[in-house]
Amino acid sequence: MMGNLKVHLLGNPYAEEDGRQIRFPYRKAEGLFYYLCVQKSASREELAETFWGDEPEAAARKSLREAMYQLKKALGEDIFETKGHTLVSLNAARMERTDLEALEDGVLESRETEFLEHFHIKGSYEFDQWASQMRETCGRLVRRAARQCLYQADAALDLEGIEQYAAILMKNDPYSEKLHYEIMDIYAVHGCYHQAVQVYQALEKVLWEDLDVKPCREVSRLYQRVKRLEEHVSFEMPGKENGFFGRTEELYQISAFLADGKGKVLAIGGEMGVGKSRLLAKACELAEGYRMLPVFQGCYPEDRDEALVPWKEIFFKLEEKGFETEKCPSEEDKLLALFRKITREQTVVLFLDDVQHMDGESFRILNRVLRVAAPGGLYVCMTFAREFESELLEVMDSAVRNDWMELLWLECLEEKAAAELVRSLVREGEGPENLPALLYEFTDGNVFFLTEAVRQLQKEGDPFRLSRKASCALKASLAGMTEKERRLLDALAFLPGPGKFQELGRLTGMDYRELAEVLEKLSVRGICGEERREDGVFYTFTRNIVREYVRQSQTEGKKEAFLLTNF
């Protein structure tokens, strides 16, 4: 018995045995073999009609016998199985799964996707008809499998896979505007603007040359958005002090917000260090590309002590740009008149960073400015700390009631993206081999703390010893805590793992009702998380690095006090 046969039916067909390509005796014998690979079994009459239908019946049968004899010589005597004198099939024990069978199971084994590509048999009309029908069936299978693979590659951030399966889909469905829009969208989400532009240009070319039409308005608008992203948003290499890495999807969402022509508010929330400010700065670059008037204003903790500090700065910046103000009874009316006038002439985008530091009067003015601005003439992009969400929705009540406000959450990097960032920062041979995984566990994918940990590794050899900059940032994030909240954090940091509710009560000296209130406040701020188990309710830090900061901040005396209380 000879070895098993691996048959490739997609692309230029061929068969191989133990890595050696089979040489078929002639074209019709080869076609007969491929036909049986697909049909599994066929009657002798069917085979004779398919391949020798232009010959007399007796001659056709003789040609079939000769072809089968030659295939036995090339592939082995046991290649065929016959049932009586009627049915012919290939020996299943000799055959491995073909690439067509894999495709039927949703698996694409190569870029070659056309059934029996360039394979034709002269004088066999019936075979060519059958092959043509199979190509249509195969095309549907290819599109289904490639689309599924494209989605999987998209979810896995596999840009090489996205490129491979997008090319297969576009080759099999070159006129589908919906498909090309979807592929452009996927590329743009991952920041591959050049590839998205190329997809549009390929569609535009084939539609114009073959159908004498241009892409529809929806596809053209997406192209314009992506083109502006490509032209006007620069990306620094990871590792610089930019806090901006892996945020192409969010930037793409901002581009959609700016392109819809309706205006109003986009609020970007997230914890400290995830890159909100840098994302806002990139969005400001993008607004310039849209030929809008961007005005960037940061808000600071000290601003809350004085009313309308951000608006005074914004007013000054607009005056510097040459916009004249009208005479009005008050400064507030003057500001409203200015925005009413400017937004009629051009589109203004206010970029407000860290609005949790804005005073109440400034939010009241912002709601008024939104109401007086010309339709589509004003966009507001703002960033805010995660724990400020409820208060933000309250102070932006007018925008919320009128459905003018969208929320965009900026999360920490996922493990794969975090590992990519770490590898781009460290030098070859620096740190243990599993450093990316260790730092991800330590920082939970926070960009700021990841970069600071790498700097500590390079500066002091210990990435888990918090830098002064990281400690100051954590200190600021925990500022304003009550004595009881801080006592509870100290207790949580003392424990080696999650703390049981009753255990935390004993360590802090709080009664259970008081303890529950403090835990709820820390949970709202995103500092602590709750976990219910069979043996009770447990609490722990939501971020490992916060636990480490609290631990490193504890005096030896405090640690000793907790130790005595616990035992």
Side-chain angles (χ1 to χ4, degrees):
M1 178 184 290
M2 301 180 72
N4 284 358
L5 292 165
K6 186 172 180 62
V7 183
H8 301 265
L9 299 168
L10 304 180
N12 291 316
Y14 64 95
E16 57 184 347
E17 178 185 40
D18 299 328
R20 178 183 62 86
Q21 190 165 327
I22 300 296
R23 295 188 66 178
F24 288 95
Y26 50 87
R27 198 72 160 175
K28 282 193 177 181
E30 185 178 2
L32 173 63
F33 175 73
Y34 295 145
Y35 186 83
L36 288 173
C37 284
V38 177
Q39 299 298 106
K40 304 305 180 188
S41 67
S43 68
R44 293 176 183 271
E45 289 77 12
E46 178 185 338
L47 294 174
E49 179 66 26
T50 299
F51 291 91
W52 296 276
D54 58 339
E55 298 181 12
E57 184 177 344
R61 286 180 174 274
K62 181 180 178 182
S63 296
L64 173 60
R65 288 194 298 271
E66 176 63 20
M68 292 177 65
Y69 171 73
Q70 292 295 337
L71 286 173
K72 286 180 181 180
K73 285 180 64 177
L75 303 171
E77 287 288 332
D78 62 341
I79 189 59
F80 292 114
E81 290 181 342
T82 57
K83 296 181 180 179
H85 296 287
T86 306
L87 290 179
V88 178
S89 61
L90 298 176
N91 182 354
R94 291 282 314 280
M95 305 297 296
E96 294 185 15
R97 188 173 75 156
T98 68
D99 52 355
L100 177 61
E101 290 170 323
L103 179 61
E104 290 170 345
D105 293 335
V107 178
L108 271 172
E109 294 186 339
S110 76
R111 292 175 181 264
E112 301 294 335
T113 58
E114 184 172 344
F115 180 75
L116 300 186
E117 189 171 17
H118 307 308
F119 187 90
H120 302 281
I121 299 177
K122 188 177 180 180
S124 294
Y125 174 77
E126 289 79 2
F127 174 82
D128 283 346
Q129 282 284 90
W130 169 80
S132 178
Q133 292 172 357
M134 282 300 302
R135 287 185 185 106
E136 290 183 13
T137 301
C138 186
R140 290 193 293 271
L141 293 173
V142 165
R143 288 191 290 273
R144 184 184 69 183
R147 189 176 290 275
Q148 185 62 35
C149 291
L150 177 68
Y151 295 154
Q152 292 170 354
D154 180 25
L157 305 179
D158 177 9
L159 297 181
E160 187 176 334
I162 291 172
E163 183 177 2
Q164 176 182 345
Y165 300 117
I168 289 172
L169 283 165
M170 289 188 293
K171 178 183 176 182
N172 280 268
D173 203 353
Y175 305 117
S176 172
E177 293 180 273
K178 182 178 179 182
L179 170 66
H180 284 71
Y181 182 98
E182 190 173 1
I183 292 171
M184 288 171 64
D185 186 68
I186 289 173
Y187 272 132
V189 163
H190 295 295
C192 302
Y193 308 129
H194 182 64
Q195 289 91 327
V197 167
Q198 287 183 318
V199 170
Y200 174 84
Q201 290 172 342
L203 174 66
E204 184 181 43
K205 184 174 185 291
V206 73
L207 288 180
W208 183 252
E209 290 181 352
D210 295 356
L211 306 177
D212 198 26
V213 297
K214 293 183 177 181
C216 67
R217 182 181 178 186
E218 186 177 13
V219 176
S220 297
R221 287 184 64 186
L222 177 59
Y223 164 71
Q224 293 298 330
R225 276 176 55 201
V226 174
K227 190 67 176 172
R228 289 189 182 106
L229 279 163
E230 182 187 35
E231 292 174 349
H232 299 286
V233 179
S234 61
F235 283 86
E236 298 94 341
M237 289 297 292
K240 296 183 180 179
E241 294 194 23
N242 53 38
F244 188 81
F245 184 85
R247 299 303 182 193
T248 54
E249 181 175 356
E250 290 83 357
L251 190 62
Y252 183 53
Q253 289 179 257
I254 293 173
S255 77
F257 169 73
L258 295 176
D260 70 0
K262 298 177 182 176
K264 305 312 177 188
V265 184
L266 177 66
I268 305 167
E271 66 180 58
M272 174 195 61
V274 295
K276 301 187 298 295
S277 297
R278 286 299 299 166
L279 178 61
L280 202 66
K282 290 296 177 186
C284 190
E285 289 182 31
L286 185 59
E288 290 178 346
Y290 277 91
R291 296 184 180 180
M292 297 172 166
L293 173 62
V295 181
F296 194 101
Q297 180 59 43
C299 305
Y300 306 96
E302 56 269 23
D303 291 350
R304 302 200 72 161
D305 299 331
E306 183 181 346
L308 304 178
V309 171
W311 285 110
K312 291 174 183 176
E313 291 292 329
I314 291 169
F315 189 83
F316 177 71
K317 289 174 182 178
L318 289 173
E319 281 192 322
E320 275 193 327
K321 292 179 183 290
F323 294 103
E324 298 180 358
T325 56
E326 301 176 5
K327 291 183 179 180
C328 296
S330 68
E331 291 298 314
E332 181 177 329
D333 289 334
K334 188 184 293 186
L335 183 68
L336 295 174
L338 180 60
F339 270 92
R340 188 183 292 111
K341 178 182 177 181
I342 295 175
T343 55
R344 287 173 183 164
E345 299 170 356
Q346 63 184 112
T347 303
V348 179
V349 188
L350 288 180
F351 293 96
L352 304 175
D353 194 21
D354 285 332
V355 296
Q356 69 271 13
H357 301 312
M358 273 178 59
D359 61 285
E361 275 295 288
S362 290
F363 278 112
R364 184 183 66 78
I365 296 294
L366 178 57
N367 280 293
R368 289 200 67 188
V369 167
L370 286 167
R371 289 196 295 272
V372 303
L378 177 64
Y379 291 79
V380 178
C381 287
M382 61 174 67
T383 64
F384 67 96
R386 180 182 293 274
E387 62 271 17
F388 189 67
E389 180 187 5
S390 297
E391 189 175 344
L392 177 66
L393 296 176
E394 183 177 339
V395 294
M396 293 296 295
D397 59 326
S398 177
V400 172
R401 284 199 313 270
N402 288 284
D403 198 25
W404 293 343
M405 192 166 177
E406 299 177 33
L407 289 179
L408 172 61
W409 289 106
L410 206 59
E411 304 294 346
C412 288
L413 298 181
E414 294 183 357
E415 187 168 5
K416 183 177 179 180
E420 184 182 344
L421 174 58
V422 171
R423 282 192 289 268
S424 73
L425 293 168
V426 298
R427 295 181 285 267
E428 187 174 353
E430 196 171 38
E433 188 176 341
N434 62 339
L435 179 66
L438 293 173
L439 290 185
Y440 180 77
E441 183 179 357
F442 180 56
T443 65
D444 298 288
N446 184 291
V447 177
F448 171 76
F449 292 118
L450 272 172
T451 54
E452 281 300 300
V454 172
R455 288 193 183 95
Q456 278 296 93
L457 170 67
Q458 295 169 342
K459 184 179 178 181
E460 300 182 8
D462 182 5
F464 307 109
R465 184 70 183 175
L466 293 175
S467 68
R468 183 175 178 276
K469 191 174 179 181
S471 295
C472 288
L474 287 165
K475 182 179 180 180
S477 71
L478 299 178
M481 284 195 165
T482 65
E483 185 274 332
K484 290 178 181 177
E485 289 171 340
R486 190 56 195 248
R487 194 194 320 164
L488 179 56
L489 291 186
D490 285 333
L492 275 174
F494 166 78
L495 297 171
K500 195 172 183 179
F501 185 78
Q502 293 86 341
E503 187 177 22
L504 291 172
R506 185 177 71 255
L507 286 171
T508 59
M510 300 183 203
D511 63 55
Y512 291 152
R513 178 174 294 181
E514 187 177 38
L515 178 64
E517 290 176 355
V518 175
L519 283 167
E520 184 176 3
K521 290 179 181 178
L522 292 174
S523 177
V524 169
R525 291 188 63 172
I527 297 171
C528 294
E530 179 182 274
E531 180 184 353
R532 179 172 291 278
R533 301 179 183 176
E534 291 183 1
D535 55 337
V537 181
F538 289 77
Y539 294 85
T540 189
F541 288 90
T542 55
R543 297 290 182 223
N544 291 322
I545 200 163
V546 178
R547 174 196 289 274
E548 190 60 30
Y549 168 74
V550 176
R551 278 180 177 171
Q552 292 183 19
S553 302
Q554 288 177 343
T555 63
E556 292 302 318
K558 185 176 288 186
K559 294 175 185 177
E560 186 68 20
F562 277 124
L563 189 64
L564 292 172
T565 304
N566 202 38
F567 296 103

